[in-house]
Amino acid sequence: DTGVSQDPRHKITKRGQNVTFRCDPISEHNRLYWYRQTLGQGPEFLTYFQNEAQLEKSRLLSDRFSAERPKGSFSTLEIQRTEQGDSAMYLCASSRGTSYTFGSGTRLTVV
Amino acid sequence: DAKTTQPPSMDCAEGRAANLPCNHSTISGNEYVYWYRQIHSQGPQYIIHGLKNNETNEMASLIITEDRKSSTLILPHATLRDTAVYYCIVGDNYGQNFVFGPGTRLSVLP
């Protein structure tokens, strides 16, 4: 499979717990993006890596959120002390040029 | 905020052409028009993009007005599987983050 892989597909967690999501981009893509999408809305940008460097972060990315991309390969997005408002689909995308390839996303439900 | 405006929803009969409009009156000279679509429970899928010339690929055609302030995505023979939310986005050619609006929900009807 040469697409963008995200794991897990679904996560249900209790409020206050920490969660971590993983994204494996297309191997030759040097750019990796995280987006969040709530019901009925388009995806919202969270953060962006070029290789291992995190180059941009949205103001949506509060202190409870952290993203890493060690060695410029896979990336993780961690949310600490989850809140009900964090419930959303978290999408990862990668690119080398002009167009993104998105993964299928991780749907987070905070109960 | 998104730099594009799209109708919230459209219907199209199966087998007919679907024409999805997008306004982007504040587009900059170096910004491209991109189209993505999202089928329920999946990530957005790239369809096509263009700068100022009309573009065509195996999925769709993109018609950009001469002043570049609007564009139309054309699905020449819509099928039921084309039912999705279609997003029109403007962005540069350097892979910077895209700002998605709410898109157009296209329903292809049998």
Side-chain angles (χ1 to χ4, degrees), chain A residues 9 31 33 35 37 41-43 45 48 56 91 97-100 102-104, chain B residues 34 36 38 41-44 46 49 87 93-98 100-102:
Chain A
R9 287 295 310 275
R31 297 191 182 105
Y33 306 80
Y35 280 77
Q37 186 174 26
Q41 303 297 315
F45 170 76
Y48 149 57
E56 190 170 349
L91 292 160
T98 55
S99 64
Y100 290 7
F102 280 88
S104 296
Chain B
Y34 295 83
Y36 283 76
Q38 188 171 27
S41 297
Q42 298 182 21
Y46 168 80
H49 75 284
Y87 298 102
N93 200 30
Y94 302 107
Q96 297 302 312
N97 71 79
F98 286 148
F100 287 78

Side-chain angles (χ1 to χ4, degrees), chain A residues 32-37 42-49 54-61 91 100 102, chain B residues 95-100:
Chain A
L32 186 148
Y33 306 80
W34 285 98
Y35 280 77
R36 180 176 73 182
Q37 186 174 26
E44 297 172 291
F45 170 76
L46 292 179
T47 190
Y48 149 57
F49 291 84
Q54 189 173 17
L55 296 187
E56 190 170 349
K57 291 194 286 188
S58 161
R59 57 185 168 78
L60 294 175
L61 212 66
L91 292 160
Y100 290 7
F102 280 88
Chain B
Q96 297 302 312
N97 71 79
F98 286 148
V99 179
F100 287 78

